[in-house]
Amino acid sequence: MTCAEKIRLYTDGIAERTGRRPGVSVTTFGCQQNEADSERLTGIAESLGYRRTDNEEEAYLIIYNTCAVREHAELKALSRTGQLKHLKERNPELIVCVCGCMVAQEHRLEDIKKRYPYVDILFGTASHGRLAEYLAEKIESGGRAFYPDSDYQIEEGLPVCRESSFKAWVSVMYGCDNFCTYCVVPYVRGRERSRRRECILEEIRGLVAGGVRDITLLGQNVNSYGKGLYDDYSFADLLEDICGIEGDYIIRFMTSHPKDATFRLIDVMAEHSRQDSRPRIARQFHLPLQSGSDRILRAMNRRYTRDRYLSLVNYMREKIPDIAVSTDIIVGFPGETEEDFSDTLEMLETVRFDAFFSFIYSPRKGTPAARMEQVPDDVKTERFARMLEVQNRISREKNDLYVGRTERVLVEGRSKTDPGMMTGRNEKNRLIHFRGDDSLTGNFVNVKIISADTYYVEGAFEKEGLDEQNEVQSH
Ligand code: SF4
């Protein structure tokens, strides 16, 4: 009997005894790659006879898929793990599993083993497809099981339980070879490896045929897609092939690296985001800058200069004049002086990003930057506040330009902060709120923008603006 068959029998047994299939609750900490991984873990658990639930109280399998990029994310996951003790006492059949980037670090694996004796299974990022095996071993032995990552392979064909019926993540490559000095990703997700193009195209064809409208291609460094797999097939070629798939959908991608993003990639985007035909690629580019100082970029081992960065942005804006450009910035990297920080502020004013994600540097164990001379916490916090002030002003000015325009919006559902409003995003990923009803969820609609805020704009749904080939369906 295979491990999957054993777990199926086991879950059937619980279902017979309790009158309900046993629940599986999967919680994601961290990035979009982790969200995509969690959808796979949920899909695998469902294929083993578990029923997806958001209520940990009724779960027989709890999986925490953790992140290691910032200390804050690790502490949050550990604090939540601590709270599982009482659930385990109440239901001894509950299996607690902690996995993901945090667990792929040896010191954290040892820490969790010692401090949380009720965690049954620990594994990293490389072996989701072995979940049935891990569960079978746990159930048969009754003991705890720890699986540090050793072999980073690509696992195709695993079941996926997607959170949304109209938005989807599609991983195109995994891992990273760049070794930026602040980052743990190359240590916890292994070296770069790309999925075969035919697997990616087949997955996207299936998603589009199933009604998915917004697809984000994922990878730690999508611009190096194909390296080591193909001699003359790049990320730009992949995007072109994807755009050949018929249907009403939009493609986004993240994350790009400024040293690897090419002018050809921008040409392909320009060709397939034209407004005179239905655009296939979103007019949006997320390009992490991290710092505006060449000195700090060198210390980060980013391997580009601010001039190279600006030449990419200028080319994008020349080819796609209204493209939305967003970025990531790290404040307080070791050795950052006031002058370095001023260079970053100057880049914000020069580029005028549509959105940014900013982080206060926190040292990650085992990375070179953790051993460099650190910037005092109060200096980092003060710089962070100043930077936010600059970017908030720019974001607000950019949002003001939307007022009076009509935007095509993919409706995501009710606003979390105001259930009276519907919320969605335009092609440029701008958050848009408007009054409407649940039947619009999952559809493209036209919204006339009437007011702007720093982080979103508000508008009115234009009924006659509904796409004809896009009749409202409920999802
Ligand atoms: S490119 Fe740099 S920051 Fe991004 S995942 Fe790779 S090492 Fe980390």
Side-chain angles (χ1 to χ4, degrees):
M1 194 186 285
T2 64
C3 292
E5 286 164 350
K6 283 181 197 164
I7 302 302
R8 188 81 215 188
L9 264 184
Y10 169 77
T11 54
D12 284 352
I14 297 175
E16 234 176 80
R17 192 156 38 82
T18 64
R20 254 186 130 187
R21 297 225 63 92
V24 55
S25 163
V26 180
T27 302
T28 312
F29 300 86
C31 67
Q32 292 81 0
Q33 186 63 60
N34 258 21
E35 285 182 34
D37 288 349
S38 289
E39 290 184 345
R40 274 203 299 183
L41 287 163
T42 309
I44 296 168
E46 279 188 347
S47 74
L48 297 171
Y50 286 94
R51 167 185 50 86
R52 185 179 149 196
T53 175
D54 292 330
N55 182 2
E56 289 183 344
E57 305 266 338
E58 58 171 43
Y60 277 74
L61 173 61
I62 291 178
I63 302 177
Y64 281 178
N65 189 13
T66 62
C67 170
V69 169
R70 273 171 288 283
E71 194 182 13
H72 177 71
E74 290 194 340
L75 296 179
K76 201 165 143 202
L78 290 172
S79 150
R80 286 283 302 273
T81 307
Q83 291 162 19
L84 292 179
K85 189 173 175 212
H86 72 281
L87 286 182
K88 186 79 177 184
E89 284 165 357
R90 212 181 302 159
N91 176 13
E93 281 187 289
L94 168 66
I95 296 175
V96 174
C97 178
V98 181
C99 65
C101 294
M102 181 171 81
V103 182
Q105 305 168 101
E106 207 182 318
H107 71 283
R108 282 297 185 205
L109 184 111
E110 292 305 322
D111 188 34
I112 300 169
K113 263 199 263 189
K114 278 195 209 108
R115 284 175 53 203
Y116 306 95
Y118 46 86
V119 172
D120 301 289
I121 303 173
L122 284 166
F123 63 93
T125 61
S127 49
H128 299 146
R130 293 174 63 194
L131 183 63
E133 201 183 305
Y134 300 160
L135 290 170
E137 201 172 312
K138 158 72 199 156
I139 288 160
E140 279 173 356
S141 75
R144 307 170 75 201
F146 312 116
Y147 305 93
D149 284 336
S150 53
D151 187 18
Y152 293 95
Q153 300 288 343
I154 291 184
E155 300 171 295
E156 291 290 354
L158 295 177
V160 182
C161 171
R162 296 193 189 270
E163 285 281 323
S164 164
S165 56
F166 52 89
K167 285 180 85 163
W169 313 111
V170 173
S171 297
V172 299
M173 50 93 65
Y174 303 93
C176 181
D177 286 352
N178 286 321
F179 292 95
C180 300
T181 53
Y182 52 84
C183 181
V184 291
V185 166
Y187 310 98
V188 298
R189 286 197 175 266
R191 296 296 87 77
E192 285 175 1
R193 55 215 181 272
S194 297
R195 290 179 68 196
R196 296 200 67 79
R197 59 189 169 209
E198 57 274 17
C199 299
I200 297 168
L201 292 169
E202 191 187 317
E203 182 174 349
I204 294 177
R205 263 185 225 108
L207 289 170
V208 172
V212 171
R213 301 276 166 82
D214 190 315
I215 297 169
T216 304
L217 309 179
L218 287 182
Q220 259 76 32
N221 181 12
V222 289
N223 306 116
S224 64
Y225 173 79
K227 206 174 79 186
L229 181 63
Y230 302 115
D231 289 336
D232 55 357
Y233 189 86
S234 67
F235 184 61
D237 297 313
L238 179 69
L239 269 185
E240 275 208 303
D241 282 347
I242 291 170
C243 290
I245 297 172
E246 283 304 318
D248 187 14
Y249 62 91
I250 199 106
I251 292 283
R252 308 177 194 276
F253 54 87
M254 65 188 308
T255 293
S256 287
H257 194 303
K259 86 174 163 51
D260 296 318
T262 60
F263 291 114
R264 167 137 194 276
L265 168 66
I266 296 166
D267 289 340
V268 170
M269 286 181 75
E271 171 64 23
H272 293 281
S273 61
R274 288 206 327 261
Q275 289 301 285
D276 51 1
S277 58
R278 174 137 303 161
R280 286 271 155 81
I281 302 180
R283 285 172 302 159
Q284 176 214 349
F285 207 117
H286 184 70
L287 192 63
L289 170 64
Q290 307 302 14
S291 169
S293 153
D294 282 343
R295 202 180 70 80
I296 294 298
L297 288 174
R298 265 195 309 278
M300 288 175 165
N301 191 32
R302 292 290 286 174
R303 287 176 278 168
Y304 55 84
T305 59
R306 51 188 278 143
D307 282 352
R308 153 80 184 165
Y309 189 95
L310 283 172
S311 69
L312 282 167
V313 173
N314 291 340
Y315 191 70
M316 275 176 216
R317 288 186 169 153
E318 183 192 315
K319 291 285 172 174
I320 314 165
D322 62 341
I323 192 167
V325 185
S326 57
T327 201
D328 296 334
I329 303 278
I330 296 174
V331 182
F333 184 81
E336 184 191 73
T337 61
E338 184 57 30
E339 199 183 336
D340 295 317
F341 178 65
S342 302
D343 287 346
T344 301
L345 291 185
E346 191 197 305
M347 278 294 269
L348 294 188
E349 298 282 9
T350 305
V351 178
R352 291 182 59 81
F353 293 103
D354 293 79
F356 87 154
F357 302 88
S358 53
F359 308 97
I360 293 181
Y361 171 78
S362 77
R364 309 308 301 125
K365 198 175 165 135
T367 58
R371 299 188 290 277
M372 297 177 186
E373 194 182 332
Q374 304 296 312
V375 174
D377 284 349
D378 58 335
V379 175
K380 289 196 265 189
T381 313
E382 189 268 339
R383 285 181 189 162
F384 183 78
R386 267 197 284 156
M387 188 173 70
L388 214 55
E389 204 175 301
V390 170
Q391 181 57 39
N392 281 352
R393 170 178 47 78
I394 294 170
S395 299
R396 177 60 200 256
E397 285 166 4
K398 290 218 150 195
N399 281 349
D400 281 343
L401 298 176
Y402 276 100
V403 176
R405 292 193 339 216
T406 296
E407 291 294 307
R408 188 169 187 251
V409 177
L410 179 61
V411 186
E412 295 184 352
R414 296 220 161 257
S415 158
K416 286 193 184 107
T417 47
D418 179 357
M421 301 292 269
M422 300 302 287
T423 190
R425 287 180 189 270
N426 68 356
E427 186 202 332
K428 297 179 188 172
N429 220 21
R430 174 62 48 227
L431 194 59
I432 295 174
H433 299 314
F434 63 97
R435 294 217 173 270
D437 61 64
D438 290 325
S439 69
L440 302 174
T441 300
N443 290 277
F444 286 115
V445 300
N446 285 343
V447 174
K448 176 138 192 199
I449 308 303
I450 45 181
S451 68
D453 207 310
T454 306
Y455 302 111
Y456 63 89
V457 294
E458 248 182 65
F461 165 51
E462 292 188 331
K463 207 165 178 128
E464 64 278 15
L466 260 179
D467 293 350
E468 274 169 28
Q469 33 169 301
N470 185 20
E471 283 163 27
V472 175
Q473 315 154 356
S474 43
H475 285 261

